[in-house]
Amino acid sequence: WMQDLVVVPGDRIGLSADIQAGPGCYVSGTQVYASSVGVVEVTEVQGNEKCKQAQVVRIQSRRAPVVPTTDSIVIAKVQSINARQAKVSILSVNDSPCHEPFPALIRVQDVRPVFTDSVQIIDSFRPGDFVRAAVINLGDSRAYLLTTARDDFGVVFATREGVTMGIVDANTMQCPRTLASEPRKVALVA
């Protein structure tokens, strides 16, 4: 269960065999999902200590939680890469920090303005890189979809052996200590 975690609509809370859907939740198939933004609270169903119920309680705060929407500009950290996509965690939305990271993907076809077979994820991002991107789709319940297909989108911070790399051009970053260069889809921010 996701007790005390902040959730957004579509986040999985648990199995419907283990937990009932209360306010702010719904059941789809065998899963219980959040239907609103808030914090998950799990309680015992009155009179049955073996039965649990989840509800999503709205956050009582002066500031609404930061949630990515289509066209939001985000900063995300690359967690892992493969030939088809980069898995990232959204850390800020429109310059506001997120309470919890949001999972997202950058697919190979969304890296550059014109997709060609020559676009490679390994030549665009590496785990640990920080990327400026835009939300193109809310995706499914597991991940938002992001794009870096603009000149001002791409890697904004990268390291090599703990040293911050510098920008050489739109496709290259370089370690100032070793002078080793690495390919990246660099964000050219003025």
Side-chain angles (χ1 to χ4, degrees):
W1 305 311
M2 299 178 64
Q3 173 77 14
D4 298 327
L5 288 181
V6 175
V7 292
V8 296
D11 281 351
R12 189 175 76 82
I13 294 172
L15 292 170
S16 58
D18 299 331
I19 198 162
Q20 292 181 3
C25 304
Y26 67 94
V27 175
S28 179
T30 62
Q31 302 289 332
V32 176
Y33 294 93
S35 62
S36 63
V37 176
V39 176
V40 176
E41 287 187 0
V42 178
T43 56
E44 291 180 1
V45 173
Q46 200 167 13
N48 185 351
E49 62 190 45
K50 291 183 181 178
C51 190
K52 306 277 186 210
Q53 181 182 52
Q55 67 176 350
V56 176
V57 178
R58 293 202 179 271
I59 298 170
Q60 301 299 317
S61 171
R62 290 188 196 115
R63 288 185 8 199
V66 176
V67 179
T69 59
T70 302
D71 296 327
S72 294
I73 305 299
V74 302
I75 299 295
K77 184 175 182 182
V78 178
Q79 302 298 325
S80 64
I81 59 173
N82 63 36
R84 295 184 323 274
Q85 64 195 16
K87 289 184 181 180
V88 302
S89 295
I90 297 173
L91 304 176
S92 75
V93 177
N94 298 326
D95 296 323
S96 295
C98 299
H99 182 69
E100 295 279 335
F102 292 94
L105 300 173
I106 303 171
R107 302 174 302 183
V108 68
Q109 64 264 35
D110 299 320
V111 171
R112 299 203 176 263
V114 177
F115 173 71
T116 65
D117 290 337
S118 66
V119 175
Q120 301 285 321
I121 291 289
I122 189 74
D123 292 335
S124 304
F125 314 110
R126 302 281 171 90
D129 289 357
F130 286 81
V131 177
R132 184 172 190 264
V135 177
I136 54 173
N137 192 311
L138 302 183
D140 55 28
S141 64
R142 292 181 301 278
Y144 290 86
L145 295 179
L146 307 180
T147 181
T148 57
R150 250 176 45 186
D151 287 346
D152 59 332
F153 292 159
V155 176
V156 293
F157 178 83
T159 62
R160 179 185 170 96
E161 299 173 7
V163 178
T164 301
M165 297 179 74
I167 296 171
V168 174
D169 57 34
N171 301 307
T172 313
M173 295 187 87
Q174 184 178 46
C175 174
R177 187 176 58 189
T178 64
L179 301 181
S181 294
E182 292 183 1
R184 293 290 200 287
K185 194 310 184 177
V186 177
L188 299 176
V189 182

